[in-house]
Amino acid sequence: MFGPQGPSLRELAVQALSSVEHGYDLLAPKFDHTPFRTPDDVLESVAKALTPLGPFEDGLDLCCGTGAGAEVLTGLCRRSITGVDFSAGMLDVARRRVRPAGGAEVAWVRGDARALPFAAAFDLVVSFGAFGHFLPRELPGLFTQVHSVLRPGGRFAFPVLAPPRPTQAGYWMLLAFDAVMRVRNALWRPPFVMYYRAFRLSGVLTELGRAGFTVELHALPEFGRRGDGSPRARLVVARRAQPAAGSVNS
């Protein structure tokens, strides 16, 4: 469907009728040859925007998939890089394709982003293209988990693309995709949660604030601006607060 190395329509149909975890296990060997993988120009733009905010020691790629975000971290983190995902198949691919850069150690952990198996061990967490797998009601818990694994002053960063407008074909394509997924999940079990229009920036910023983050938005200039002057792509950078001077942790 996406070229000779990508999955066939039949393979995508089997994936779509599976659970999210098993579906990605099936898709993993061909995932990098689909449009679902974050494009390189987005990865490179995020890396460029994060570089002045460093240096970083320990980074986490949240819902790492085949490791595209972990590759970004190899150029940003000096000591360690960890990728976490609940698909064993995706982790197997990531383990083969991502190589350490410099002295940073790379580790892969199978786990659920809603129950992260880490202490406050990171000063940078990134995520690319994974948030459609979380229902809006799950975002408060997800962001609280990320907050808990960041050291004070640590950052949680992810790109957000401006949604297409109703005058654009992409708007109706995404609307149709979400509608099909809702019908599928109403009629078939287990559910496959993937909704492109459920991750709204205004609600995301509110939930990040409630989780204890201070948030900045950075335009990604490589993608230009829309007709009204707003950026076509932004980097959300949410920071865990530093303890107040003189405070004592209990």
Side-chain angles (χ1 to χ4, degrees), residues 144-155:
T144 298
Q145 284 291 300
V146 175
H147 189 275
S148 73
V149 303
L150 281 167
R151 300 185 184 106
R155 291 177 171 91

Side-chain angles (χ1 to χ4, degrees), residues 88-173:
M90 299 290 266
L91 290 172
D92 285 343
V93 175
R95 197 173 285 113
R96 292 193 300 269
R97 65 184 293 271
V98 179
R99 294 289 180 264
E105 297 182 359
V106 180
W108 305 101
V109 176
R110 187 179 181 189
D112 190 331
R114 294 162 295 192
L116 291 171
F118 310 110
F122 305 101
D123 46 8
L124 177 62
V125 176
V126 297
S127 193
F128 294 91
F131 295 118
H133 294 303
F134 299 94
L135 297 171
R137 66 175 180 269
E138 296 177 300
L139 293 183
L142 176 67
F143 293 158
T144 298
Q145 284 291 300
V146 175
H147 189 275
S148 73
V149 303
L150 281 167
R151 300 185 184 106
R155 291 177 171 91
F156 175 32
F158 52 90
V160 175
L161 303 181
R165 296 193 166 114
T167 54
Q168 298 173 301
Y171 175 90
W172 298 102
M173 290 174 62

Side-chain angles (χ1 to χ4, degrees), residues 34-228:
T34 74
F36 306 132
R37 190 241 194 209
T38 302
D40 287 338
D41 56 352
V42 174
L43 299 168
E44 292 163 3
S45 182
V46 169
K48 183 177 179 180
L50 286 174
T51 297
L53 303 180
F56 303 101
E57 295 297 323
D58 304 292
L60 175 67
D61 183 7
L62 185 74
C63 306
C64 65
T66 57
E71 286 188 312
V72 170
L73 293 177
T74 62
L76 295 169
C77 299
R78 300 185 292 192
R79 185 164 55 196
S80 75
I81 297 148
T82 303
V84 62
D85 201 281
F86 71 171
S87 167
M90 299 290 266
L91 290 172
D92 285 343
V93 175
R95 197 173 285 113
R96 292 193 300 269
R97 65 184 293 271
V98 179
R99 294 289 180 264
E105 297 182 359
V106 180
W108 305 101
V109 176
R110 187 179 181 189
D112 190 331
R114 294 162 295 192
L116 291 171
F118 310 110
F122 305 101
D123 46 8
L124 177 62
V125 176
V126 297
S127 193
F128 294 91
F131 295 118
H133 294 303
F134 299 94
L135 297 171
R137 66 175 180 269
E138 296 177 300
L139 293 183
L142 176 67
F143 293 158
T144 298
Q145 284 291 300
V146 175
H147 189 275
S148 73
V149 303
L150 281 167
R151 300 185 184 106
R155 291 177 171 91
F156 175 32
F158 52 90
V160 175
L161 303 181
R165 296 193 166 114
T167 54
Q168 298 173 301
Y171 175 90
W172 298 102
M173 290 174 62
L174 296 182
L175 187 68
F177 180 91
D178 282 9
V180 169
M181 292 303 296
R182 292 184 187 281
V183 171
R184 179 257 185 240
N185 289 334
L187 299 176
W188 192 268
R189 291 291 184 271
F192 191 96
V193 177
M194 182 64 206
Y195 298 117
Y196 281 103
R197 300 179 69 253
F199 194 71
R200 307 293 181 89
L201 182 58
S202 58
V204 167
L205 298 180
T206 297
E207 295 302 342
L208 286 169
R210 289 175 177 167
F213 288 104
T214 57
V215 184
E216 296 179 350
L217 296 177
H218 299 258
L220 297 176
E222 293 83 358
F223 299 94
R225 292 184 176 269
R226 304 204 289 182
D228 62 2

